[in-house]
Amino acid sequence: MPDDAENKRPDELAPAESSGAPIKPLGPQYSSLVEYPKESIVADAGQGVATTASKDRGDDSDADVAPSSDEQADSVTRKLEIISPEAGVYLLRDRAGKVLYVGKAKSLRPRVRSYFREGGDGRFQVRFLMRKVRDFDTIVTANEKEALILENNLIKQYRPRYNIRLKDDKSYLSAKITNHAWPRITVTRKIVKDGGRYFGPFGSADGLRETIDVIRKVFPLRTCTDTVFRNRSRPCLEYQIKRCLGPCCLAVDRDEYGAHLHAAQLLLEGKNLELLRTLRDQMKEHASRLEFEEAARLRDQVRAIEKTVERQTVLHHWGIDQDVFGIYREGGFIEAIVLIVRSGKLTSTQGWSFQDLEFSIDEVLSDLTVQYYSGARTIPDEVILPVELEDAGVRAELLSERRGKKCEVFVPQRGEKLRLLEMAMENARQSFLSRRDNEKTREAMLEELRIKLHLRSTPKRIECYDISNLQGSMVVGSQVTFDEGEPQKNLYRRYRIRSFEGQDDFASMYEVLKRRLERATRENIFPDLWVIDGGKGQLNVALEVLGEFNLREQIDCVSLAKQHVLNDGREIEVTKSEERVFLPNRKDPIVLPKNSTTLFLLVRIRDEAHRFAITYNRELRRRARLRSVLDDIEGIGPTRRRAMLRHFGSLRRIRAATIEEIAAVKGINLPLAAEIRRHLDQMTALLDDVEQGEQSSEELVAAVEPASEFPTRGESIQLHKNPL
């Protein structure tokens, strides 16, 4: 929040004793102030001094004696009278001491007093905030720039409810150059202080992955993980196809590797023209020395980069880096977007949506820009804003220090930069309209689901459950969660059946649902609708579990039965049944129209639960296969098992190896190799069954996944590591 937005009246900037608007007694909402223990606050700005509301309790006998409400109200009033007029940060706290809001001010005294003065801040949201505020702290800093830094650090630490936070920042990808003797370039969603260098975040995941793909094709940098790099004994396929110099095993010139890394870094930073100019000069130099093969390689690199660059929108040709912020608002709904311009080209965009905010545009923009540049982000030459910020000079100074050279923060009034700002504002408006249309579409889809399935209310949170097993073994359950029609992968859960052994879908479903409700009861978070993968039997199991927890009137429940073949399987054309939805207290299922929105949503949720269950089942089978086959052999422990897998690469190759080949592994002699060979021969039938089952499950996943909009098996998915 811009902290000086309301410090314009001379009477508010005057000292307390001469203020023309004296502080009135605290309102009735402060009559029940309760003292609480304070945690210490450290001002990492370097020169901050904390002023806390807690009193020294020198006598332990007074610790249990609560002061009266009048005394506490008087204490807050006294604190308001002695607030420092210097720059700093203030924290507004509730009855329990929780930080509700963090703000900064050029002068703490008038800014904090405006909150407690009757009529001092007329905004509805601030009035609602002050109903909960029972105390405050202030931290004095040396100047406004340090207050800006400290405010951002405290917002990250306390995550106050009434501060704007870029909550969806984690959904954007960044590129990372690892901190290694031979660095590699990876794609990540997490930014940690591990010595690596980060670029981004990038608004377009496809655009970043395409750039990384070009880098891997053009520049021969290593792509293997550090673990693989340490344990390589010979160059891999990437070296054979000339996409890696092979630093894991071969003597590589560090200067040459560093030159390739620097070129890739220029591409990530959007400095395409500089990179192309350098490569063309090198190409001409090699051609002049009649090194045509090397010149041709550089020519191919230039063409590959030009093919990527030509799709970017050219805004201007003077080649500066700019971040252009645009904002559109309708009441409390605000859409913000930033156009990321690098070397005169629009490379990507990034946007945020805020709801129920009555703060002014300059306050929203102030918080947004502070948090946007707080991480490992490239700082441009210019930051273009739609409204003037009172502390724009301080922000420009801070960004310039972080960048190492000058960065300007300003509002353009004319020319090309004004047209660029207008483009950002129009993009923000279009993004707002598109988001609102999507929300209306989801609302209509969920309302249609309520009507078609005769639900008690429109389901906001939907959970779907599925059971997966392999011939009665490795029985697992999966839970996927959709909120407002969209998957929430951080709420996915997977269950391993514990109460019995063997194959019993009904008992497995009973255990999964019971454990889910036990957790929901502890956390007091319940879904609106259960979708069970199965028929009427699985639905009855779910209803029984809901009855045990007295939740049948609170949670709606349906089951979705898969399609089955209706005609003879020997016929060329296969005829399948329609998807059937079973409802409680209804004998016959509902058959939804083939292209209905309701059926699409249910099938999408069911297929995602099925995919998630099969993924977990396959992972457990892989672990069990390695453990049962190798660990059951006497004399084989973790060290020798790793040595064998490292030597052969897979269990399939170990099974095909002879006794002499097994004995060639470090730490394994001929008698032990013979015992391993004998054990593998005994396990042949079981291993064939496992591999056949795994292959069938993979085919089933491949058949399911194209129907849904989710990552393929090759892409990463966030899994909950601890089954409930």
Side-chain angles (χ1 to χ4, degrees), residues 138-328:
T138 60
I139 304 175
V140 178
T141 58
N143 51 53
E144 192 178 0
K145 183 176 68 176
E146 290 186 359
L148 188 64
I149 298 173
L150 181 58
E151 177 198 26
N152 182 52
N153 292 338
L154 292 178
I155 289 175
K156 288 181 179 179
Q157 176 181 348
Y158 291 108
R159 302 177 64 84
R161 177 181 176 185
Y162 290 91
N163 281 95
I164 292 175
R165 288 180 284 120
L166 306 186
K167 302 176 185 177
D168 58 346
D169 213 24
K170 63 180 178 298
S171 65
Y172 293 95
L173 289 173
S174 297
K176 173 185 176 181
I177 297 180
T178 60
N179 182 24
H180 190 272
W182 303 97
R184 68 188 181 108
I185 299 177
T186 63
V187 176
T188 181
R189 294 184 186 273
K190 294 183 179 180
I191 297 179
V192 294
K193 294 182 179 179
D194 56 357
R197 181 167 184 183
Y198 293 86
F199 303 87
F202 293 85
S204 171
D206 291 339
L208 175 59
R209 294 188 189 279
E210 182 180 355
T211 302
I212 296 295
D213 187 55
V214 171
I215 288 175
R216 289 176 176 173
K217 290 179 179 178
V218 172
F219 304 111
L221 303 174
R222 77 177 184 95
T223 59
C224 57
T225 63
D226 292 347
T227 302
V228 174
F229 183 88
R230 288 194 302 267
N231 295 292
R232 290 295 304 181
S233 57
R234 57 184 179 180
C236 63
L237 180 62
E238 293 289 324
Y239 172 79
Q240 302 295 334
I241 61 177
K242 301 186 183 302
R243 288 194 180 181
C244 179
L245 297 177
C248 56
C249 308
L250 305 177
V252 176
D253 185 359
R254 287 191 177 273
D255 292 337
E256 180 185 0
Y257 192 91
H260 290 305
L261 186 66
H262 177 68
Q265 178 178 322
L266 291 177
L267 194 59
L268 289 173
E269 292 176 343
K271 299 178 180 178
N272 306 319
L273 296 179
E274 179 181 345
L275 174 60
L276 289 172
R277 191 184 309 114
T278 302
L279 292 178
R280 289 192 182 103
D281 292 342
Q282 293 177 1
M283 179 179 65
K284 293 177 181 178
E285 184 179 346
H286 283 292
S288 65
R289 296 200 300 261
L290 304 181
E291 298 172 351
F292 298 115
E293 184 175 346
E294 187 65 22
R297 185 183 64 82
L298 290 172
R299 178 204 60 197
D300 295 339
Q301 291 182 358
V302 170
R303 289 179 178 176
I305 296 172
E306 286 177 338
K307 187 176 180 181
T308 303
V309 171
E310 68 184 6
R311 288 190 288 269
Q312 297 177 347
T313 304
V314 178
L315 300 175
H316 46 69
H317 295 280
W318 55 80
I320 63 174
D321 297 345
Q322 298 167 306
D323 286 346
V324 188
F325 288 84
I327 289 186
Y328 180 82

Side-chain angles (χ1 to χ4, degrees), residues 421-432:
L421 176 61
E422 291 171 349
M423 180 192 298
M425 299 293 283
E426 177 61 20
N427 273 271
R429 189 181 74 86
Q430 294 293 339
S431 178
F432 174 83

Side-chain angles (χ1 to χ4, degrees), residues 23-35 52-55 67-83 113 116 134-136:
I23 299 175
K24 298 183 180 181
L26 297 175
Q29 66 266 34
Y30 300 100
S31 61
S32 58
L33 288 170
V34 177
E35 189 170 0
T52 64
S54 58
K55 301 177 181 179
S68 66
S69 300
D70 292 339
E71 290 177 350
Q72 292 169 346
D74 292 341
S75 174
V76 174
T77 304
R78 287 194 299 270
K79 287 174 61 179
L80 289 171
E81 293 175 352
I82 62 173
I83 295 177
R113 287 184 175 188
F116 292 88
R134 294 294 182 270
D135 208 342
F136 70 92

